[in-house]
Amino acid sequence: MKILYIETSSKNCSVAISDDEKLLCLCEEVSENYKQSESLHTFVEWALEGAGISLQEIEAISLGKGPGSYTGLRIGASSAKGFCYGLKVPLIAINSLESMTEPFLGQNYDYIVPLIDARRMEVYTAIYDGETGKEISETEAKILDEHSFEELKDKKVLFVGDGAKKTKEIVQLPNAEFKNDIYPSAQYLIKRTLEKIEKKEFEDTAYFEPFYLKDFHGVKKKKSSDSV
């Protein structure tokens, strides 16, 4: 089964194609400027070319549903839905935090904690079992302080993601490791996607919304009359 994967929840615009569990092609780029709107469809074209298949051969679309960048998630979701409608194929959605744990499972960590940087001292995070990848605590928007994650202080923990840097500066965990150059990647959606397809856990394409976790807040411009 040939599947197209889209992951745009972070600074990494990422597209992959697999034939069942075999990765055929991966195109991705980390950009500080969130280039999803410019890069996504180009990456889809390159991935199809690299995989040596046509778009019409795609049998399902898998999307990293968030949490993460509001704009990035909207771009990814609208593209995924468009492909599903055009190709008449099902949509599968995977938690972007969950995909971040995939490359580190089975490496003798008690827990893996993905951290997506939100504003100020906030991160999007969850806790996963380091061996099985099972969710231990559900996804949340967490404001960091010196007591954050103190329940893990006696465990071997790996913190991954662009929120790991500010977490390391605040929390006091002697057995923790931090990798802050990790972003959600389309290639790590494959395993969970195939599990969901097996169980026929498809999204309702018409009503699907990304996992924003919290409402979007735009920046309100100050009126000149507001200034002191």
Side-chain angles (χ1 to χ4, degrees):
M1 185 177 197
K2 295 177 178 66
I3 305 166
L4 171 65
Y5 304 84
I6 295 172
E7 173 52 79
T8 57
S9 66
S10 72
K11 295 173 183 176
N12 187 29
C13 181
S14 182
V15 174
I17 293 173
S18 83
D19 189 353
D20 291 331
E21 70 277 356
K22 183 183 178 183
L23 178 66
L24 298 180
C25 193
L26 172 69
C27 293
E28 61 182 13
E29 180 186 17
V30 176
S31 169
E32 293 297 319
N33 300 321
Y34 290 92
K35 287 186 175 178
Q36 290 91 337
S37 60
E38 301 169 28
S39 304
L40 180 57
H41 285 278
T42 301
F43 284 8
V44 170
E45 289 175 15
W46 288 352
L48 288 165
E49 186 178 329
I53 64 173
S54 69
L55 183 59
Q56 284 66 37
E57 292 178 73
I58 294 296
E59 299 166 83
I61 307 293
S62 177
L63 176 69
K65 69 177 182 179
S69 157
Y70 185 90
T71 303
L73 290 171
R74 284 186 66 83
I75 292 168
S78 60
S79 295
K81 291 169 83 165
F83 285 130
C84 287
Y85 281 125
L87 299 169
K88 296 181 173 57
V89 297
L91 174 65
I92 299 96
I94 309 294
N95 188 311
S96 296
L97 291 174
E98 189 174 336
S99 70
M100 292 170 71
T101 70
E102 188 69 27
F104 305 104
L105 296 176
Q107 296 185 17
N108 296 318
Y109 295 107
D110 294 314
Y111 299 108
I112 300 172
V113 182
L115 301 151
I116 293 176
D117 194 5
R119 290 175 296 178
R120 303 185 183 89
M121 295 317 298
E122 193 169 26
V123 292
Y124 301 133
T125 188
I127 299 173
Y128 295 87
D129 183 277
E131 192 64 34
T132 65
K134 184 183 179 200
E135 185 181 77
I136 303 298
S137 71
E138 64 183 23
T139 302
E140 63 176 326
K142 188 180 189 75
I143 297 173
L144 297 169
D145 61 36
E146 63 272 21
H147 300 297
S148 297
F149 304 108
E150 63 183 2
E151 71 275 15
L152 305 179
K153 66 179 184 296
D154 298 323
K155 302 295 184 181
K156 188 176 181 184
V157 184
L158 177 64
F159 291 91
V160 298
D162 61 359
K165 184 177 180 182
K166 64 186 181 186
T167 304
K168 185 178 182 180
E169 293 169 356
I170 293 173
V171 303
Q172 305 297 319
L173 297 175
N175 299 315
E177 293 179 31
F178 298 83
K179 294 182 183 290
N180 60 10
D181 57 344
I182 304 298
Y183 298 92
S185 174
Q187 64 184 315
Y188 297 121
L189 298 173
I190 294 175
K191 182 182 174 184
R192 286 287 289 121
T193 296
L194 292 172
E195 289 173 359
K196 286 202 166 193
I197 290 172
E198 180 75 22
K199 297 174 184 174
K200 295 187 165 32
E201 293 179 4
F202 303 125
E203 302 297 325
D204 184 325
T205 305
Y207 294 100
F208 173 78
E209 286 287 323
F211 185 22
Y212 293 122
L213 196 56
K214 60 180 186 177
D215 293 334
F216 174 69
H217 297 289
V219 178
K220 186 177 179 182
K221 288 187 176 179
K222 244 188 177 182
K223 295 179 183 175
S224 55
S225 58
D226 292 343
S227 55
V228 178

